[in-house]
């Protein structure tokens, strides 16, 4: 079963294509602040991960299987080659794809991602799992913004945050899916293979990310041969949402420098 996906932006089978993959939440709506920019440069493919939102089925327990889902979407759309932007877990999917023989990936944008899960991130996930198991779905969802956003941003966006929490509770992907997806990202480890990635890569991170230490991004940028680093002092784990102007400028500069379009 092909996952729910949407294609927008440039038309034509020869149009440059970018696939966007979100993190643990799995929703294509995560990338809303980037669509206006990207649809001017690319045919943009967004999708809901297996077992989340509008995609049915059960979550898969390996990042490689999640990457296979992307290849299935691309094949159905007749896409042979694509650029890829992934946030956190989505970034791991991009790394898996980029490391495959005859990889279809032309470039990578990795947002607060990692080559292996830092023990600090493990503590954060253990806390979230305990909330889910002991306090229930509402407590789990209400705690999620603490790991995504800066405190001042949450204060300034309180109404938006409450709407987001209500939506997250109403459309919760399910206990088993969450646990399966967390286990997959914790098991992922390609640190020793990062030097094999042969495509231009932009590593994006925020120093104040509570969930994933920005040093994981520094390690990616150091190890991937054609990597550039965009590092913000502010923005936390969901920096593309909290600092969209900075993020879009960094990503837009990287992508247009590859000769794939003109800056809007």
């Amino acid at each position: 079963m092909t996952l729910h996906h949407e294609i927008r932006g440039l038309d034509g089978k020869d149009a440059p294509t970018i696939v966007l993959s979100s993190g643990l939440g799995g929703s294509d709506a995560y990338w809303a602040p980037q669509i206006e920019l990207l649809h001017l440069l690319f045919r943009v493919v967004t999708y809901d991960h297996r077992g989340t939102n509008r995609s049915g089925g059960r979550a898969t327990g390996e990042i490689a299987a999640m990457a296979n889902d992307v290849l299935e979407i691309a094949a159905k759309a007749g896409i042979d080659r694509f650029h890829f932007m992934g946030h956190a877990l989505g970034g791991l999917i991009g790394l898996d794809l980029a490391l495959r023989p005859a990889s279809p990936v032309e470039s990578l944008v990795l947002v607060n991602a990692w080559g292996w899960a830092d023990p600090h991130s493990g503590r954060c996930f253990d806390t979230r799992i305990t909330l889910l198991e002991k306090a229930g779905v509402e407590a789990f969802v209400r705690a999620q913004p603490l790991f995504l956003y800066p405190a001042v941003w949450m204060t300034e966006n309180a109404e938006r945050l409450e709407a987001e929490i209500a939506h997250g509770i109403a459309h919760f992907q399910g206990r088993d899916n969450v646990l399966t997806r967390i286990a997959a990202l914790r098991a992922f480890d390609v640190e020793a293979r990062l030097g094999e990635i042969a495509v231009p890569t932009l590593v994006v991170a925020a120093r104040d990310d509570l969930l994933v230490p920005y040093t994981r991004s520094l390690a990616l940028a150091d190890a991937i041969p054609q990597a550039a680093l965009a590092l913000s002092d502010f923005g936390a784990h969901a920096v593309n949402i909290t600092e969209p102007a900075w993020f879009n400028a960094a990503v837009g500069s990287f992508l247009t420098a590859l000769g794939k379009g003109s800056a809007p």
Side-chain angles (χ1 to χ4, degrees):
M1 178 187 65
T2 303
L3 305 187
H4 176 87
H5 60 281
E6 297 186 17
I7 301 176
R8 53 172 73 85
L10 301 184
D11 292 324
K13 66 177 184 178
D14 295 325
T17 300
I18 188 166
V19 177
L20 310 183
S21 185
S22 60
L24 186 62
S27 173
D28 76 335
Y30 179 78
W31 298 107
Q34 281 67 61
I35 294 300
E36 184 176 355
L37 164 69
L38 293 174
H39 91 277
L40 298 174
L41 304 171
F42 293 95
R43 175 172 50 174
V44 182
V45 180
T46 59
Y47 72 103
D48 291 337
H49 290 199
R50 184 173 301 278
T52 74
N53 302 288
R54 293 159 295 180
S55 288
R58 296 173 62 87
T60 51
E62 295 182 354
I63 298 299
M66 299 180 196
N68 288 341
D69 285 337
V70 173
L71 296 180
E72 182 181 348
I73 292 169
K76 182 174 182 179
I79 298 168
D80 297 321
R81 303 278 294 167
F82 52 83
H83 303 266
F84 189 93
M85 180 158 68
H87 173 255
L89 184 151
L92 311 191
I93 293 171
L95 287 168
D96 180 276
L97 289 169
L99 285 167
R100 296 190 179 199
S103 170
V105 175
E106 295 186 276
S107 74
L108 280 174
V109 179
L110 305 172
V111 186
N112 286 323
W114 57 90
W116 63 272
D118 191 275
H120 168 77
S121 298
R123 284 190 292 272
C124 291
F125 284 118
D126 285 340
T127 299
R128 297 175 73 180
I129 290 169
T130 299
L131 281 169
L132 178 59
E133 298 280 46
K134 303 298 184 182
V137 170
E138 182 171 349
F140 177 86
V141 174
R142 285 196 171 278
Q144 180 170 287
L146 302 177
F147 298 97
L148 294 179
Y149 309 125
V152 66
W153 188 92
M154 288 188 283
T155 295
E156 294 170 352
N157 293 271
E159 186 174 340
R160 169 179 173 170
L161 212 58
E162 284 303 314
E164 183 177 296
I165 289 168
H167 183 273
I169 294 170
H171 299 278
F172 184 62
Q173 62 185 271
R175 169 191 175 277
D176 290 345
N177 278 353
V178 168
L179 297 180
T180 296
R181 286 162 61 74
I182 289 177
L185 64 84
R186 295 179 79 164
F188 184 79
D189 184 354
V190 295
E191 195 85 351
R193 298 189 60 199
L194 294 175
E196 301 173 29
I197 294 175
V199 296
T201 302
L202 178 65
V203 179
V204 186
R207 291 182 184 273
D208 61 345
D209 186 345
L210 174 64
L211 182 59
V212 181
Y214 77 90
T215 49
R216 289 291 86 222
S217 290
L218 297 185
L220 290 174
D222 285 343
I224 297 172
Q226 298 182 62
L229 176 68
L231 184 60
S232 174
D233 288 332
F234 178 82
H237 192 59
V239 65
N240 62 300
I241 292 175
T242 58
E243 287 289 282
W246 174 84
F247 182 92
N248 289 353
V251 170
S253 294
F254 170 74
L255 293 173
T256 54
L258 298 177
K260 302 304 177 184
S262 301

